[in-house]
């Protein structure tokens, strides 16, 4: 079976490198399924799971947005933060979720802190969902 090289990279270094039969991701414009030979593209990602289909299994990587770059034989995900499902600390994500909810309740909708809290909440919920799959 044909495979693709996959790298998920953050400013702190690589989070995942390996070969896969397919990569799926949630771009801002919609769901993306990348098979070997895909046309080149660059797309912004939502706070979501990048799914790496490898040896008949699916590996989930939580990403806090960022970009996916597709080339026919390689997929690169660049994100400010990314964690493999197995590396997510559930308690930390729960605490971040509660902190964000408190901030949302305490700030005004147009406040910059409100927007920040919304994003923090989305990151936390995304991590909790992905960690629950393992
Ligand atoms: P927190 O408030 O818990 O720091 P955050 O969403 O603000 O959460 P980020 O700024 O996205 O965190 O990430 C900072 C660093 O911490 C990154 O390296 C990220 O991979 C890591 N990280 C954040 N939350 C978790 C978690 N629940 N489990 C494991 N690593 C995490």
């Amino acid at each position: 079976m044909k495979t693709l090289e996959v790298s998920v990279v953050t400013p702190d270094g690589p989070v995942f490198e390996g070969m896969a039969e397919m990569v799926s991701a949630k771009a801002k414009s919609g769901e993306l399924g990348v098979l070997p030979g895909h046309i080149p593209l660059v797309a912004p990602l939502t706070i979501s799971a990048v799914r790496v289909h490898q040896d008949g299994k699916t590996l989930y990587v939580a990403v806090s947005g960022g970009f996916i770059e597709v080339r026919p034989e390689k997929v690169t995900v660049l994100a400010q933060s990314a964690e493999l499902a197995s590396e997510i600390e559930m308690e930390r994500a729960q605490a971040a979720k509660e902190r964000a909810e408190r901030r949302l309740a305490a700030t005004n909708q147009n406040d910059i802190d409100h927007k920040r809290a919304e994003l923090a909440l989305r990151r936390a919920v995304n991590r909790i969902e992905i960690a629950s799959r393992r």
Side-chain angles (χ1 to χ4, degrees):
M1 188 180 270
K2 279 195 187 164
T3 54
L4 274 162
E5 195 181 333
V6 184
S7 296
V8 180
V9 185
T10 72
D12 297 328
V15 169
F16 175 82
E17 312 227 89
M19 302 302 292
E21 290 96 50
M22 179 172 158
V23 175
S24 11
K26 285 198 172 73
K28 290 197 172 168
S29 55
E31 181 72 26
L32 204 62
V34 181
L35 292 164
H38 199 287
I39 52 160
L41 65 83
V42 174
L45 294 174
T46 63
I47 295 171
S48 58
V50 170
R51 284 139 290 153
V52 179
H53 306 276
Q54 194 182 48
D55 303 327
K57 283 176 269 170
T58 305
L59 218 103
Y60 290 82
V61 187
V63 295
S64 61
F67 288 87
I68 185 167
E69 184 202 22
V70 177
R71 284 186 270 140
E73 283 160 20
K74 173 147 196 192
V75 172
T76 307
V77 173
L78 298 164
Q80 190 58 41
S81 70
E83 306 87 36
L84 291 170
S86 58
E87 289 170 351
I88 294 171
E89 293 164 39
M90 191 59 133
E91 274 129 59
R92 177 171 170 182
Q94 288 285 4
K97 176 173 178 276
E98 281 156 30
R99 202 164 51 240
E101 284 169 341
R102 283 196 300 275
R103 271 194 207 133
L104 280 177
T107 50
N108 197 299
Q109 276 211 344
N110 301 321
D111 199 330
I112 182 82
D113 286 338
H114 197 85
K115 297 259 178 283
R116 261 191 217 137
E118 265 173 12
L119 290 173
L121 179 60
R122 280 201 247 152
R123 289 196 299 274
V125 168
N126 186 46
R127 287 176 177 129
I128 291 165
E129 278 175 10
I130 293 171
S132 313
R133 292 177 175 279
R134 66 186 179 215

